[in-house]
């Protein structure tokens, strides 16, 4: 069986920036084991698969090691493929997912994700986080991930965590964040237990970061930069219990893979 595949740099205005995701449009679902094998072979932080549904499309996301409940950059990448590669003519896409319906709206060159907000709540700092970063954070919170607030942008940029310690934590991963001189805030994201030592730009993390920084800065629209090696720009807005996350994307590669559906 031959399947189309695209590699898209999400939250990027040009190639080699932002977060690369593989996107495989399907006509029907393949066995889960095969989907996981494709994601493992792609060896990107996420591979998105989607099939047509009565209300739009059904989307699923796989890291090299497991399926996840929500992924922002791969959803952005999937929407880019539909709009720019597959001639989808509507201005809005609705993806059914394990996290509920997810809307993506085209606003000029920008793609705007409409995701559920996940407001983090304060928690005691796990010993594993202190061990991993060698410091006590200013604040520690938790939603789907641990949100670790550091004292400065420089501390976020220079952090070199012990990934083995992070693997032992519960939850998906750890976001470190701080106020920024050039943006409202900066962040980095680590999820080594899911095969992602550091993610270049993590759209789903902003469903947690936007509620926190919106409350702290007393405004709903925020500009952020993820300080990974590739880097990426994110604009997010908190409206009620939803977070709107806007970004650009570019196509890096288009091709075809050949797989055995019996796997």
């Amino acid at each position: 069986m031959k399947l189309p595949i695209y590699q898209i740099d999400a939250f990027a205005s040009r190639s080699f920036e932002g977060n690369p995701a593989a996107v495989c449009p399907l006509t029907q679902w393949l066995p889960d084991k095969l989907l996981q094998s494709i994601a493992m072979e792609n060896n990107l932080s996420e591979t998105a698969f989607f099939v047509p549904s009565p209300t739009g499309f059904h989307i699923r996301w796989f890291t090299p090691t497991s399926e996840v409940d929500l992924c922002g950059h791969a959803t952005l990448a999937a929407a880019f493929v539909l709009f720019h590669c597959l001639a989808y003519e509507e201005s809005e896409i609705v993806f059914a997912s394990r996290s509920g319906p997810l809307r993506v709206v085209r606003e000029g060159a920008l793609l705007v994700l409409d995701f559920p907000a996940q407001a983090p709540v304060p928690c005691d700092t796990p010993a594993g986080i202190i061990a991993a970063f060698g410091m006590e954070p200013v604040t520690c919170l938790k939603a789907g991930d641990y949100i670790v607030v550091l004292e400065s942008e420089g501390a976020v940029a220079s952090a070199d965590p012990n990934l083995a310690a992070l693997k032992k934590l519960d939850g998906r991963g750890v976001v470190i964040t701080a106020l920024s001189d050039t943006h409202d805030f900066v962040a980095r994201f680590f999820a080594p237990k899911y095969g992602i030592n550091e993610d270049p730009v993590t759209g789903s993390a902003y469903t947690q970061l936007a509620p926190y920084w919106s409350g702290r800065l007393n405004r709903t629209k925020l500009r952020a930069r993820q300080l990974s090696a590739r880097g990426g720009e994110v604009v997010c807005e908190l409206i009620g219990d939803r977070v709107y996350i806007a970004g650009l994307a570019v196509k890096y590669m288009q091709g075809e893979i050949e797989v055995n559906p019996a796997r």
Side-chain angles (χ1 to χ4, degrees):
M1 174 184 292
K2 294 182 179 180
L3 302 172
I5 189 168
Y6 302 83
Q7 186 169 319
I8 306 298
D9 288 338
F11 296 109
S13 58
R14 58 186 178 182
S15 295
F16 312 119
E17 292 182 350
N19 200 352
V23 179
C24 290
L26 303 174
T27 56
Q28 61 184 15
W29 287 118
L30 300 173
D32 288 3
K33 184 178 179 181
L34 179 56
L35 298 180
Q36 185 63 71
S37 294
I38 293 170
M40 182 172 61
E41 186 76 7
N42 291 337
N43 200 31
L44 296 171
S45 61
E46 302 285 350
T47 297
F49 302 92
F50 62 80
V51 300
S53 74
T55 58
F57 300 89
H58 184 198
I59 191 168
R60 296 170 69 184
W61 313 273
F62 289 77
T63 77
T65 63
S66 56
E67 185 173 7
V68 296
D69 291 336
L70 184 66
C71 179
H73 83 278
T75 304
L76 190 77
F80 179 91
V81 168
L82 281 162
F83 283 131
H84 294 281
C85 305
L86 300 179
Y88 186 78
E89 296 182 351
E90 304 296 327
S91 61
E92 175 182 297
I93 300 168
V94 179
F95 290 109
S97 78
R98 284 167 58 162
S99 293
L102 307 173
R103 295 169 58 247
V104 185
V105 177
R106 180 164 48 181
E107 294 185 0
L110 281 175
L111 297 178
V112 183
L113 308 175
D114 175 358
F115 276 17
Q118 303 180 80
V121 297
C123 66
D124 294 333
T125 305
I129 286 178
I130 297 172
F133 292 97
M135 67 179 80
E136 181 83 40
V138 174
T139 304
C140 188
L141 310 98
K142 191 178 182 189
D145 304 304
Y146 282 102
I147 308 298
V148 178
V149 183
L150 301 184
E151 62 183 8
S152 68
E153 181 173 347
V156 173
S158 63
D160 184 18
N162 181 320
L163 298 174
L166 294 184
K167 277 186 178 181
K168 298 176 183 178
L169 295 169
D170 60 331
R172 182 183 65 160
V174 174
V175 184
I176 59 174
T177 186
L179 287 167
S180 171
D181 295 330
T182 58
H183 297 69
D184 290 310
F185 65 92
V186 294
R188 291 172 68 190
F189 177 79
F190 307 91
K193 72 160 66 173
Y194 284 91
I196 306 167
N197 288 342
E198 181 172 1
D199 198 36
V201 189
T202 316
S204 59
Y206 294 86
T207 66
Q208 305 161 74
L209 289 166
Y212 171 75
W213 285 113
S214 178
R216 182 165 165 183
L217 298 175
N218 196 30
R219 59 178 177 273
T220 58
K221 193 164 186 177
L222 303 157
R223 290 179 61 249
R225 180 162 182 82
Q226 195 148 330
L227 297 180
S228 62
R230 291 172 64 99
E233 302 284 331
V234 179
V235 177
C236 50
E237 185 173 9
L238 179 67
I239 300 180
D241 62 354
R242 307 293 294 184
V243 176
Y244 293 80
I245 305 165
L248 300 169
V250 295
K251 181 172 74 172
Y252 171 70
M253 181 174 64
Q254 177 178 347
E256 187 177 74
I257 59 175
E258 190 164 343
V259 299
N260 179 358
R263 289 201 60 185

